[in-house]
Amino acid sequence: MQKLATKSLEYHLSEIQKAQASIKGVCIKTALIYSDVFSNESGNSVYIKPENLQITGAFKIRGAYNKLCTLTPDQRKRGVIASSAGNHAQGVAYSAEKLGIDATIVMPKTTPLIKVEATKSYGATVVLYGDCYDEANTEAKRLQAENNYVFVHPFDDLDVLYGQGTIACEIIEEINDIDCILVPVGGGGLIGGIALAAKALKSSIKIIGVEPEGAKAMKESMDNNKIVNLETVNTIADGVAVKKPGTIPFEIIKNYVDEIVTVSDFDIMESFLLLLEKHKLIAEASGALSFAGLKKIKEKGKKVACVLSGGNIDVVTISSMIDRGLVSRGRLFCFSIEMSDIPGELVKVSTILAKANANVVKLDHNQFKTNDRFMHVQLEITVETNGHNHVNNIIKTLNKGGYKVNKIY
């Protein structure tokens, strides 16, 4: 295990600055984007760090390329292996191809196809194994021992962290009076590198990690002051679905991260929708974490940078995320009512909805979902709405018309 306790912040910063030189010309220096919508909603001046614009679609290329640059000629000949839910896989595969190194990547069987195909396109050998990162990692370790590969860990490696830390250097170079940086947290490599760089450059910067409620391994570890291994993880943010955080990141986070907050999957989907709709930026679920975290922080009137960590997401998932985000924002409302099975009743309901400015997108008229199908019928309706207040007004209007509303979503 690489030594951490004996190293000063100044030493870590010098290594991160070396990483900046190593990745120059390979990684994009992503420019900050000011966000009116997130600023207005959070009460802060919010800036987006769009790492989804990297050539591999995520920040992981920074750490992967820096790590491979540190390998000796003998290590390069042996080839490298990595385990990843997708973004680290692409970062290692792309970096290996650039440097002429053979790469094998072990990915969970649940990895989105877009990430699997992208990894293969960079010339890596892909092995699908297990249902989550931790199981894929176990298989990668077995293959490493069997074939004498060099293991490139996605987050428990200082050279990888130094690459990720270049993100903080770029943020501070662009806005030197930044007050706070929000960072998605999985295994902890991204926030660990960012924390080292930020605290070395400006100790007053607040570093806040954001985890999904269904995969809060780092928060549990912080709360218990020891590394916690979750029994299960359950979140749409597959890129951070880690049961056990890294040892090195944990030590860094204990010392240099100010707070970790958790968010629901609905919070994530809402942030995804805003990024897509207002900024035309595509984020994978884990990439939108820091924006979901804006609702959970106490800071007001501060300059806040949110790291959009990645945008590798397939079209089917995008469609699902949009629908769920619309529900979360009160832009899509599905409900059912029971009504008398007589002529004109459906027109009456339609008239009420029209007067309430609710646009019907789907309707199901079903006699067989009521106890008395000869007298009553269940009507299930999905309408486009303009927010939660509009939804509440529709419900009140239908109630006044004599209909009891059962909200489905």
Side-chain angles (χ1 to χ4, degrees), residues 88-350:
H88 180 62
Q90 291 177 65
V92 172
Y94 180 85
S95 300
E97 184 182 49
K98 278 282 185 184
L99 296 167
I101 301 171
D102 289 335
T104 299
I105 312 294
V106 185
M107 309 176 81
K109 290 183 289 186
T110 54
T111 303
L113 184 61
I114 187 175
K115 295 183 180 181
V116 175
E117 293 304 316
T119 305
K120 289 180 178 178
S121 74
Y122 298 128
T125 299
V126 174
V127 176
L128 297 178
Y129 186 91
D131 294 321
C132 65
Y133 163 76
D134 301 86
E135 292 174 4
N137 185 55
T138 300
E139 176 65 5
K141 288 290 184 69
R142 187 190 70 79
L143 290 172
Q144 175 204 13
E146 185 178 286
N147 298 283
N148 197 31
Y149 295 134
V150 175
F151 191 82
V152 184
H153 201 284
F155 50 80
D156 215 2
D157 185 294
L158 274 176
D159 292 319
V160 171
L161 266 72
Y162 293 149
Q164 324 303 24
T166 60
I167 291 173
C169 293
E170 291 177 8
I171 291 172
I172 295 166
E173 284 171 12
E174 196 168 346
I175 303 180
N176 60 16
D177 60 343
I178 200 81
D179 297 300
C180 180
I181 303 175
L182 266 67
V183 189
V185 178
L190 175 59
I191 194 171
I194 285 175
L196 287 176
K199 293 296 185 179
L201 289 166
K202 187 182 176 186
S203 61
S204 63
I205 294 178
K206 190 168 186 179
I207 306 298
I208 299 176
V210 187
E211 278 189 307
E213 291 172 357
K216 52 181 180 178
M218 189 63 79
K219 181 163 178 56
E220 289 288 326
S221 297
M222 292 291 289
D223 291 346
N224 289 278
N225 199 32
K226 65 178 182 180
I227 291 178
V228 172
N229 192 347
L230 301 178
E231 290 186 8
T232 60
V233 290
N234 182 20
T235 176
I236 60 168
D238 61 283
V240 294
V242 175
K243 291 182 180 179
K244 183 181 179 182
T247 302
I248 293 172
F250 176 65
E251 290 302 317
I252 294 170
I253 290 167
K254 279 201 305 183
N255 291 301
Y256 300 115
V257 170
D258 297 277
E259 184 182 4
I260 294 181
V261 298
T262 60
V263 296
S264 70
D265 280 357
F266 270 105
D267 293 328
I268 297 169
M269 289 182 283
E270 186 175 335
S271 295
F272 164 86
L273 180 65
L274 286 175
L275 284 164
L276 180 63
E277 188 174 35
K278 302 299 183 182
H279 290 287
K280 319 309 175 192
L281 290 170
I282 295 176
E284 58 196 90
S286 55
L289 268 172
S290 56
F291 302 89
L294 285 167
K295 288 184 175 182
K296 303 298 180 76
I297 64 174
K298 304 179 185 69
E299 280 65 31
K300 299 294 176 188
K302 303 294 184 181
K303 290 185 178 180
V304 179
C306 289
V307 180
L308 198 174
S309 57
N312 290 316
I313 182 171
D314 63 88
V315 176
V316 174
T317 304
I318 288 175
S319 177
S320 176
M321 291 279 285
I322 289 172
D323 287 344
R324 294 180 185 186
L326 288 170
V327 172
S328 180
R329 297 286 293 178
R331 301 268 301 282
L332 204 61
F333 174 39
C334 179
F335 64 95
S336 67
I337 59 173
E338 280 193 18
M339 63 182 194
S340 300
D341 191 15
I342 56 176
E345 195 71 8
L346 184 57
V347 173
K348 181 181 174 183
V349 173
S350 298

Side-chain angles (χ1 to χ4, degrees), residues 19-30:
Q20 275 190 292
S22 295
I23 69 174
K24 188 176 181 180
V26 175
C27 299
I28 297 168
K29 189 175 181 179
T30 53

Side-chain angles (χ1 to χ4, degrees), residues 75-92:
Q75 288 174 320
R76 294 188 182 201
K77 287 179 184 177
R78 287 159 49 191
V80 298
I81 189 167
S83 55
S84 170
N87 290 332
H88 180 62
Q90 291 177 65
V92 172

